[in-house]
């Protein structure tokens, strides 16, 4: 099992779908090649940006297989296996991800009602299904999604997670970086990858190893340059790049656009990969943009974002 810290920029990968919701698996090589060119350090698939919650187990397997095959020897791939009311689905997806060469598997907690022990028992089952693959959990809302709505100190969560033998790190999607720093204090070798895309430079200052995010799906190289500026101590330059990336967030977050349809449009328009529609069962069902319906978003992107090549 891999034990090294994953660092850098890991875009959240979209799932390309046609209008009926079928996965366009044939686009996996083009997306992998695009992210290699944009200097991604890895990819995170089938989380929120990848619409895993709104895809069947079979479709998630189809897309995971296509991506893992295309990414072999090119990029490490994190496969999210959670979001399932039937927990057996998560176990099946974890085993499938390991079988096909995933670098890591990850999951949210079971539900907002599940206790910490409920979640630890669930995570242990995922670990057993993929015993040779690092496992990552989500930290959001001060950990309350892992504890039935109760606050928890990082040290106590880490103590509980000792029961999960493959536990390697956290996708830390929270704005309170005090907790990030405390995790690192109590377990320095814990791999923390932040999901607060619009605060990436702040997370690096507080000890994050890297970033996973939807914004990076279309700003990968831009974020790479930004984080290099941070590492070099060029804080004003890094801050300017963060502000410019945040212009894109503001543009695609407008109600008339929607962040995921906006991201898919930018991939089509900027990188010429027709990733298509959002899931018919998800919150953006029927929302599809062209360059004529989202001109401001495209102009904002071209004005602000660095692209490699």
């Amino acid at each position: 099992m891999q034990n090294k810290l994953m660092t850098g920029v890991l875009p959240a990968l979209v799932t390309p779908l046609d209008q009926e919701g079928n996965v366009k698996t044939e686009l996996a090589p083009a997306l992998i090649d695009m992210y290699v060119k944009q200097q991604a350090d890895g990819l995170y698939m089938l989380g929120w940006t990848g619409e895993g919650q709104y895809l069947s187990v079979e479709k998630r397997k189809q897309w995971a297989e296509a991506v893992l095959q295309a990414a072999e020897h090119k990029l490490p791939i994190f496969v999210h296996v959670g979001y399932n009311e039937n927990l057996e689905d998560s176990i099946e997806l974890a085993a499938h991800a390991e079988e096909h060469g995933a670098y890591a598997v990850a999951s949210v907690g079971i539900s907002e009602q599940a206790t910490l022990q409920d979640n630890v028992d669930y995570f242990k089952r995922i670990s057993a299904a993929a015993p040779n693959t690092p496992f990552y959990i989500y930290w959001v809302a001060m950990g309350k999604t892992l504890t039935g709505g109760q606050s928890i100190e990082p040290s106590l969560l880490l103590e509980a997670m000792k029961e999960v033998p493959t536990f390697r790190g956290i996708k830390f999607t929270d704005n309170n970086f005090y907790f990030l720093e405390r995790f690192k204090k109590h377990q320095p070798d814990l791999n923390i990858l932040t999901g607060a895309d619009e605060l990436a430079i702040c997370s690096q200052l507080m000890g994050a190893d890297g970033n996973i995010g939807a914004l990076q799906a279309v700003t990968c190289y831009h974020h790479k340059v930004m984080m290099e500026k941070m590492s070099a101590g060029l804080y004003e330059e890094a801050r300017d790049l963060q502000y410019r990336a945040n212009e894109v967030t503001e543009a695609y977050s407008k109600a008339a656009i929607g962040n995921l349809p906006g991201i898919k449009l930018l991939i089509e328009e900027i990188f010429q990969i027709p990733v298509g529609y959002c899931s018919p069962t998800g919150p953006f069902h029927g929302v599809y943009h062209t360059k004529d319906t989202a001109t401001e978003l495209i102009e904002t992107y071209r004005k602000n974002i660095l692209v490699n090549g």
Side-chain angles (χ1 to χ4, degrees):
M1 185 173 73
Q2 296 279 356
N3 287 313
K4 68 176 184 179
L5 289 174
M6 178 60 69
T7 60
V9 177
L10 293 87
L13 182 65
V14 301
T15 303
L17 301 170
D18 66 19
Q19 197 163 5
E20 287 72 44
N22 300 305
V23 182
K24 301 169 73 175
T25 54
E26 69 277 8
L27 294 182
L31 283 164
I32 293 299
D33 289 346
M34 181 266 280
Y35 283 117
V36 169
K37 184 175 182 179
Q38 297 307 311
Q39 299 184 14
D41 295 289
L43 293 172
Y44 188 96
M45 68 182 303
L46 293 167
W48 184 90
T49 306
E51 301 179 274
Q53 185 174 1
Y54 307 107
L55 299 173
S56 67
V57 169
E58 187 56 37
K59 288 179 179 178
R60 290 167 75 170
K61 284 184 174 182
Q62 288 173 2
W63 186 226
E65 284 186 40
V67 170
L68 290 166
Q69 181 178 0
E72 189 175 10
H73 306 306
K74 294 182 178 180
L75 285 174
I77 306 296
F78 287 59
V79 180
H80 185 271
V81 301
Y83 295 133
N84 303 297
E85 291 184 13
N86 178 3
L87 301 186
E88 296 301 322
D89 291 346
S90 301
I91 311 310
E92 181 179 348
L93 288 166
H96 178 269
E98 176 165 294
E99 177 186 354
H100 290 276
Y103 176 89
V105 294
S107 183
V108 294
I110 298 170
S111 71
E112 294 182 0
Q113 290 73 45
T115 67
L116 176 59
Q117 191 58 54
D118 290 337
N119 281 305
V120 168
D121 290 342
Y122 164 60
F123 296 152
K124 286 165 64 177
R125 295 185 64 206
I126 291 176
S127 177
N132 300 305
T133 304
F135 174 63
Y136 288 66
I137 62 173
Y138 272 59
W139 171 277
V140 297
M142 295 178 64
K144 293 181 179 180
T145 59
L146 298 170
T147 59
Q150 303 300 309
S151 299
I152 185 170
E153 290 296 318
S155 59
L156 296 178
L157 179 62
L158 292 174
E159 184 64 30
M161 288 300 295
K162 287 181 179 178
E163 295 185 35
V164 183
T166 57
F167 174 55
R168 185 69 187 93
I170 297 176
K171 183 180 185 295
F172 187 94
T173 303
D174 201 333
N175 295 337
N176 190 332
F177 296 137
Y178 163 74
F179 289 96
L180 186 160
E181 182 270 331
R182 293 289 93 182
F183 276 122
K184 277 292 192 181
K185 174 184 182 293
H186 293 294
Q187 190 172 328
D189 66 344
L190 186 70
N191 200 184
I192 299 185
L193 303 166
T194 57
D197 308 346
E198 296 78 26
L199 298 172
I201 60 173
C202 306
S203 70
Q204 187 167 349
L205 282 172
M206 292 300 286
D209 300 303
N211 307 112
I212 294 171
L215 178 58
Q216 289 92 316
V218 289
T219 63
C220 178
Y221 180 69
H222 185 96
H223 267 75
K224 283 282 288 190
V225 174
M226 180 175 74
M227 303 317 277
E228 288 168 0
K229 298 287 188 185
M230 285 293 295
S231 296
L234 302 173
Y235 301 129
E236 289 188 10
E237 293 181 35
R239 184 175 60 188
D240 176 66
L241 291 170
Q242 180 75 78
Y243 288 173
R244 286 162 57 184
N246 291 356
E247 291 292 324
V248 175
T249 297
E250 183 176 66
Y252 67 44
S253 296
K254 292 180 179 178
I257 301 295
N259 47 10
L260 188 52
I263 288 167
K264 288 197 166 188
L265 170 64
L266 288 172
I267 292 173
E268 294 199 9
E269 183 65 23
I270 305 300
F271 300 103
Q272 304 301 303
I273 303 175
V275 291
Y277 296 80
C278 297
S279 172
T281 58
F284 296 109
H285 168 52
V287 181
Y288 179 80
H289 298 294
T290 67
K291 61 183 179 181
D292 297 322
T293 60
T295 303
E296 182 181 352
L297 171 60
I298 295 169
E299 289 179 350
T300 298
Y301 184 96
R302 293 190 186 280
K303 179 182 177 181
N304 287 285
I305 301 304
L306 302 176
V307 176
N308 191 30

